[in-house]
Amino acid sequence: MKKFFICFLSLSFLCVHFANAQEDTVSFFNNMEDSTDLIVDEKTLIGENIDSLFALWYIKNTIESNEMQQEVAASSGPIYFSDSVYAECLAKIPTTFPLVYNQDVKSWIEMYLRRGKYLIPSLLGLGQYYFPMIEPVLDQYDIPLELKYLTIVESALNPRAVSRTGATGLWQFMYATGKMYGLNVNSLVDERRDPAKETVVAAQFLRDLYKIYGDWALVIAAYNCGPGNVNKAIRRSGGRTNFWEIYQYLPRETRGYVPAFISVNYIMTNYKQHGYSPVKVNMPSYHDTVMVTNKLHFGQVEGVLGVSIEMLRELNPQYKKDIVPGDIAPAPLRLPDDCSAKFVEQEKEIYAFKDSIFFAPSVNYEVVAQQAYVASQRSGYRYDPEPCDASIPAGTSKLTYTVKSGDTFGFIANWYDVKLAKLKCWNNIESNKLSIGQKLVVYVPTKKLNSYKNVDNMTFAEKQAMSSNNIVSQSKNSGKPLDNRFEYYTIKKGDNLSTIASRYPGISDTDIMNINGFTAADVRRLQIGQIIKIRKK
């Protein structure tokens, strides 16, 4: 004990930070009632995490599929075993962590089984995506691999889960602890939501706690309630350092935290015996990372490469407003494996795609984010895709386009001046993949039919040039004199309406659009050398 308290004092500064940062970490145990029998209130204890889990768009899409509904309908309900079976199965799990079996653990096991209809298959499916990333990091820091299941107890494997006290991410780190361990948190980026980076910090945190206690059960308890509370429980117990011996002196939520962790180990190891199997989560099996060196909006990537915004959000949950601030410092962007090479090849086109719209000074990104995300009951977030609208606008005519090498949905939509979502809906397509020779239906204004008829026969360069044509018949191109009542500006390489407006105090990009009579489609076609009005003299 003397050695322990010397160690404790030497690390007191670290402990204070840990306690302040992490003791309020919230999982689904906040309102547990005092009871010697650990009465389990399912609605209170795990309801919030289940809401958070099912708010994920890929889980929601999976559990609403016909296949999943049929699977659930065919299931006969949870299968329970005797105490001896539970105890024997826990004893067979290879671990350095003492997986003690008692009635508290049994309560948690059977609660998971009762709530497991969608919960367990979803967690198993998510585990196939996240655990191969988590395990090597834990191994590198010599952390028992079974501690990966803390992410289930903490967040139900939702990287955007946010507790009522602000703990965030798979591992539910508080702001101060994240900053102390080097995670970047600002208005645009929250690296606590980056599964890879937060896992490294979690491993470092667990390692540092183990240096204090030398016992993984106490480490897990301290991860939940903070070292301050664990040390207090040790003192009140007369210096005992076994979790079950200090159990009654710990905060109420922590008394359930370790049994819940043990029960998750049981469920994730023995799910087959209870009739469960993983669902296929709609996430790419492989992804690659590119470095972004300019300001980038997810909508630009979707527009050019056809990777949906919701997919980009799930692969890159650290970007809170769908913006990658690569202009401040090179920033990573995860993409499906087959898109990374395309990004590098078309990087300039991606940065330039509708940049004056995505980065207009008038854009309120708080409003954009609130519109894009719908709060779940637990203050996590989910993305609700815009419903498919295949209606045909009045005054339009039908054309057919044949897909060619290098085409993307974003390019095609841009060439015909239609919304990407409309183009997909008209053709009853949900994925982003196109095949050479594939026929796509598109509807364009009848009045402009002749100008769109030849698009299908143009080369790629001609189509790109066409979509950037000069939309203002003035200046040297038309030979008409400029109106001397206005100030003018000649567009240069790298310009957009936002950068142009910044040169003129009191003028916004919206003012320039209004004075020139530009629509959003017109702005997309602005080109180098074009002369535009800025303001009246």
Side-chain angles (χ1 to χ4, degrees):
M1 280 304 301
K2 183 177 180 182
K3 180 179 180 182
F4 169 79
F5 280 111
I6 291 173
C7 178
F8 167 70
L9 290 172
S10 69
L11 292 169
S12 60
F13 177 76
L14 187 63
C15 288
V16 168
H17 280 276
F18 281 163
N20 291 340
Q22 289 298 125
E23 65 183 359
D24 289 327
T25 299
V26 175
S27 55
F28 39 73
F29 315 107
N30 282 337
N31 298 316
M32 185 178 299
E33 298 297 332
D34 273 319
S35 170
T36 56
D37 294 326
L38 188 63
I39 297 172
V40 178
D41 177 352
E42 294 180 22
K43 183 176 180 181
T44 302
L45 297 180
I46 70 173
E48 291 182 341
N49 259 28
I50 293 175
D51 289 340
S52 177
L53 170 70
F54 293 159
L56 299 175
W57 72 273
Y58 41 84
I59 290 295
K60 185 172 181 290
N61 290 346
T62 300
I63 67 176
E64 289 183 354
S65 69
N66 290 332
E67 182 181 352
M68 184 65 174
Q69 295 291 348
Q70 291 169 5
E71 222 174 88
V72 170
S75 65
S76 57
I79 300 172
Y80 301 112
F81 295 137
S82 65
D83 287 355
S84 60
V85 172
Y86 292 141
E88 183 181 353
C89 289
L90 279 171
K92 289 181 178 178
I93 297 176
T95 174
T96 58
F97 182 87
L99 298 178
V100 174
Y101 179 75
N102 54 34
Q103 291 306 300
D104 294 346
V105 173
K106 178 182 179 179
S107 295
W108 282 102
I109 290 174
E110 296 193 341
M111 182 179 62
Y112 271 107
L113 294 175
R114 282 194 298 274
R115 302 297 293 265
K117 180 171 67 171
Y118 292 124
L119 176 64
I120 294 174
S122 300
L123 290 173
L124 291 168
L126 286 170
Q128 292 179 344
Y129 178 75
Y130 285 114
F131 291 153
M133 175 201 70
I134 293 173
E135 289 172 348
V137 178
L138 297 182
D139 182 64
Q140 178 185 349
Y141 285 89
D142 200 23
I143 308 294
L145 297 187
E146 57 270 21
L147 266 66
K148 66 189 176 186
Y149 294 132
L150 284 176
T151 56
I152 292 179
V153 180
E154 288 287 346
S155 66
L157 289 174
N158 180 358
R160 282 202 295 271
V162 181
S163 80
R164 286 172 295 200
T165 57
T168 299
L170 286 181
W171 295 90
Q172 289 286 281
F173 267 78
M174 296 293 286
Y175 175 87
T177 310
K179 295 288 282 188
M180 184 174 69
Y181 276 86
L183 292 178
N184 183 22
V185 182
N186 57 46
S187 297
L188 294 178
V189 179
D190 187 345
E191 289 184 340
R192 293 177 298 170
R193 298 179 1 169
D194 183 328
K197 290 188 176 181
E198 194 188 25
T199 294
V200 172
V201 166
Q204 293 171 347
F205 188 14
L206 290 167
R207 176 199 59 189
D208 291 341
L209 289 174
Y210 190 75
K211 289 177 182 177
I212 298 173
Y213 297 109
D215 179 278
W216 287 112
L218 293 181
V219 166
I220 293 175
Y223 189 92
N224 174 250
C225 67
N229 283 315
V230 172
N231 295 334
K232 189 187 300 182
I234 291 173
R235 290 195 299 271
R236 288 178 175 175
S237 71
R240 293 182 175 87
T241 56
N242 178 282
F243 172 81
W244 298 104
E245 291 178 339
I246 68 170
Y247 176 89
Q248 62 181 316
Y249 302 104
L250 289 166
R252 286 175 296 174
E253 67 272 14
T254 308
R255 294 176 217 162
Y257 191 80
V258 171
F261 170 75
I262 294 173
S263 73
V264 169
N265 274 267
Y266 171 86
I267 293 291
M268 299 300 283
T269 305
N270 298 284
Y271 60 88
K272 289 182 181 178
Q273 290 91 313
H274 293 275
Y276 293 110
S277 58
V279 299
K280 183 179 180 181
V281 175
N282 186 24
M283 292 284 276
S285 301
Y286 302 96
H287 61 258
D288 202 355
T289 300
V290 296
M291 295 306 294
V292 174
T293 56
N294 204 338
K295 185 183 284 187
L296 177 71
H297 193 283
F298 286 172
Q300 294 175 293
V301 180
E302 181 185 54
V304 177
L305 298 184
V307 183
S308 67
I309 287 181
E310 56 264 37
M311 176 62 76
L312 292 169
R313 285 170 176 157
E314 299 310 330
L315 288 174
N316 304 275
Q318 69 270 32
Y319 297 119
K320 297 156 68 174
K321 307 291 189 247
D322 297 344
I323 296 171
V324 185
D327 55 329
I328 298 173
L333 178 70
R334 296 186 188 96
L335 294 168
D337 190 50
D338 58 347
C339 292
S340 56
K342 293 179 183 177
F343 182 94
V344 174
E345 292 169 2
Q346 299 174 286
E347 191 168 0
K348 290 183 180 179
E349 294 171 86
I350 294 170
Y351 292 143
F353 183 77
K354 299 185 181 181
D355 57 349
S356 60
I357 296 175
F358 284 115
F359 297 113
S362 59
V363 173
N364 186 328
Y365 293 108
E366 288 292 337
V367 173
V368 170
Q370 288 170 7
Q371 291 172 344
Y373 290 102
V374 180
S376 76
Q377 295 178 18
R378 191 175 184 259
S379 301
Y381 294 96
R382 64 183 174 87
Y383 175 74
D384 277 344
E386 184 180 345
C388 186
D389 177 13
S391 61
I392 300 171
T396 60
S397 297
K398 176 181 175 180
L399 288 176
T400 301
Y401 178 80
T402 305
V403 176
K404 300 164 185 67
S405 177
D407 286 352
T408 67
F409 275 112
F411 282 142
I412 298 168
N414 203 34
W415 296 332
Y416 285 101
D417 283 321
V418 298
K419 288 185 176 181
L420 179 66
K422 274 283 192 185
L423 181 63
K424 286 188 171 184
C425 286
W426 286 332
N427 292 277
N428 194 29
I429 296 174
E430 294 183 0
S431 71
N432 298 308
K433 293 185 178 180
L434 291 170
S435 302
I436 296 174
Q438 182 178 351
K439 302 289 184 181
L440 296 179
V441 171
V442 62
Y443 293 89
V444 299
T446 303
K447 292 180 180 179
K448 298 182 179 180
L449 184 61
N450 289 333
S451 62
Y452 290 110
K453 274 186 175 179
N454 293 325
V455 172
D456 196 28
N457 299 316
M458 292 180 179
T459 64
F460 183 84
E462 288 172 337
K463 285 179 287 195
Q464 289 293 75
M466 176 204 67
S467 66
S468 301
N469 277 343
N470 193 339
I471 59 171
V472 180
S473 57
Q474 59 178 340
S475 73
K476 57 189 177 184
N477 294 329
S478 63
K480 294 181 180 179
L482 300 177
D483 189 332
N484 58 15
R485 295 175 299 169
F486 294 92
E487 288 184 44
Y488 290 87
Y489 179 83
T490 303
I491 294 177
K492 302 175 179 61
K493 184 177 180 180
D495 280 343
N496 58 54
L497 290 193
S498 300
T499 59
I500 295 170
S502 67
R503 301 169 187 262
Y504 299 88
I507 297 296
S508 70
D509 59 329
T510 304
D511 294 330
I512 296 175
M513 290 180 70
N514 290 337
I515 201 170
N516 288 277
F518 290 166
T519 64
D522 293 334
V523 173
R524 291 199 300 269
R525 298 196 187 108
L526 293 173
Q527 65 178 14
I528 297 172
Q530 181 175 332
I531 299 176
I532 59 174
K533 296 176 183 177
I534 299 298
R535 61 187 173 189
K536 286 189 175 182
K537 290 182 177 178

